[in-house]
Amino acid sequence: MKRCVFLGLGHYVPERRVTNQELTALMETTDEWIVERTGIRQRYWVPHEMGGSELAEHAAREALARAGLEPGDIDCIILATLSPEHTFPGTACFLQARLGIPGIPAVDIRNQCSGFIYGLSIADAWIRAGQYRRILLVGAEVHSTGLDISTRGRDVACLFGDAAAVAVLGADDGGERGVLSTHLHADGRFAKALWIEAPGSRFHPLRISHQMLDEGRHFPKMNGRQVFTAAAQRMPEVIRECLKANGLTIDDVALLVPHQANQRITELVARQLGIPMERVASNIERYGNTTAASIPLCLYEAERDGRLRPGDLVVLASFGAGFTWASAAVRW
């Protein structure tokens, strides 16, 4: 039976490092307040005009090199982002052009913090079906240009960083390793608990107005308490669902890789599952929340640092806007 396996990982983080101390000059906050509530000490923001496809190109070329492949070996691109370069076309098309591989499908998916696992589920299905043999799965975000970097927006602005991370996925015929299962969920009743209202096609006659801009309706808004509570409930649920589907227990997990939304959520999820933090990937302290890029960025660092070995069971889990939540089990 064909399985979808990870062939290579790559990452790219822009050069501008933004510390919590730097944010204190832009808004009423403190380093202590941010660290206590989120675990974040710094993040990276683009230093000049850069789109997600540019970040993704750097990450993709590293992932391809680590897989021993060239761009022309890729059959399909799936790109997850909540910060598209333009309203249309999709950012995956711009990445395809940068890599010089016209003709293959290029797909954007908009599942925000759950985007990488949703994309992994799609790639897994296509590879198992034999439709494509090698897929580039991308998480790429440029948050910094869309944040309200002021006291009004501080609860959200301190959270997010820019980054891209890429997995080259391929077919493994008859082996034991690869994606074992994926589990996807959503509940649109809570869509407005974490969202950007404008611009939007539902507004008439214009998608955005000067009044909307003055009111800051083009900046992200979050009901922090509601999101925290839901994430702390749904992530353990979907991880247990994943383990049960494969006849496994938390003791079988070599590494849990949760979406990096808030270190306090990660710690709470770990306690509920009874897994020690030594077996939980965490890099939010250095990068902040990089949304669709956060899980593959954690995977990249874990593999680089020797925390992932052949045969290890890795569980991925996410929760984010939509609400969406998801998990996946992978035999490394």
Side-chain angles (χ1 to χ4, degrees), residues 10-287:
H11 83 307
Y12 184 77
V13 177
E15 62 189 34
R16 182 188 171 197
R17 184 171 70 96
V18 179
T19 64
N20 292 346
Q21 192 61 42
E22 185 174 338
L23 293 184
T24 66
L26 303 171
M27 61 188 72
E28 294 178 11
T29 191
T30 65
D31 173 66
E32 293 77 15
W33 187 91
I34 296 172
V35 172
E36 179 183 348
R37 285 162 177 78
T38 71
I40 300 168
R41 296 184 181 276
Q42 63 176 47
R43 73 287 294 147
Y44 291 85
W45 288 352
V46 294
H48 48 74
E49 185 176 291
M50 297 178 75
S53 69
E54 186 173 347
L55 303 182
E57 180 190 2
H58 291 292
R61 292 193 183 280
E62 181 184 19
L64 287 164
R66 290 167 68 90
L69 298 171
E70 299 292 334
D73 297 319
I74 295 298
D75 303 318
C76 176
I77 299 171
I78 301 173
L79 189 146
T81 187
L82 69 66
S83 52
E85 290 193 16
H86 303 281
T87 300
F88 67 87
T91 304
C93 290
F94 292 103
L95 174 60
Q96 184 206 54
R98 285 182 170 276
L99 293 174
I101 45 177
I104 67 170
V107 181
D108 272 34
I109 60 171
R110 298 289 307 280
N111 295 96
Q112 310 358 308
C113 298
S114 298
F116 187 80
I117 301 179
Y118 267 69
L120 181 62
S121 184
I122 296 167
D124 178 49
W126 282 347
I127 285 173
R128 286 175 185 263
Q131 185 165 356
Y132 303 111
R133 187 162 181 86
R134 296 191 184 97
I135 295 177
L136 207 63
L137 178 57
V138 182
E141 305 289 2
V142 177
H143 285 296
S144 58
T145 55
L147 299 173
D148 184 356
I149 306 173
S150 70
T151 299
R152 179 180 66 175
R154 62 185 173 183
D155 290 351
V156 175
C158 69
L159 298 175
F160 291 100
D162 304 338
V166 173
V168 179
L169 304 173
D172 183 57
D173 298 317
E176 295 297 320
R177 67 192 187 112
V179 177
L180 305 182
S181 66
T182 58
H183 307 268
L184 313 179
H185 299 276
D187 192 338
R189 293 176 299 171
F190 305 101
K192 294 182 181 180
L194 177 54
W195 73 323
I196 295 178
E197 182 183 4
S201 61
R202 76 177 309 275
F203 297 114
H204 185 272
L206 297 175
R207 296 183 177 188
I208 194 165
S209 66
H210 290 292
Q211 181 179 348
M212 289 178 186
L213 292 170
D214 292 342
E215 293 170 352
R217 292 162 68 185
H218 60 300
F219 290 127
K221 300 291 190 300
M222 177 174 66
N223 182 326
R225 183 181 299 276
Q226 187 176 22
V227 172
F228 188 102
T229 301
Q233 174 189 351
R234 295 302 190 184
M235 287 181 72
E237 282 181 0
V238 79
I239 291 166
R240 292 188 181 106
E241 177 187 1
C242 180
L243 293 172
K244 183 178 179 181
N246 293 283
L248 301 166
T249 71
I250 199 67
D251 293 332
D252 297 311
V253 178
L255 189 66
L256 173 63
V257 183
H259 163 59
Q260 304 293 294
N262 184 311
Q263 183 63 14
R264 307 308 161 226
I265 294 175
T266 296
E267 292 167 353
L268 182 56
V269 169
R271 285 199 300 272
Q272 290 185 64
L273 293 170
I275 185 171
M277 287 300 295
E278 305 88 74
R279 287 161 48 207
V280 180
S282 175
N283 61 15
I284 194 171
E285 177 183 23
R286 290 174 286 120
Y287 299 113

Side-chain angles (χ1 to χ4, degrees), residues 275-318:
I275 185 171
M277 287 300 295
E278 305 88 74
R279 287 161 48 207
V280 180
S282 175
N283 61 15
I284 194 171
E285 177 183 23
R286 290 174 286 120
Y287 299 113
N289 181 346
T290 58
T291 311
S294 77
I295 286 176
L297 185 56
C298 277
L299 284 171
Y300 173 88
E301 292 195 329
E303 184 177 65
R304 180 197 65 190
D305 298 342
R307 297 183 69 189
L308 284 178
R309 297 178 298 276
D312 279 351
L313 176 70
V314 183
V315 171
L316 318 178
S318 62

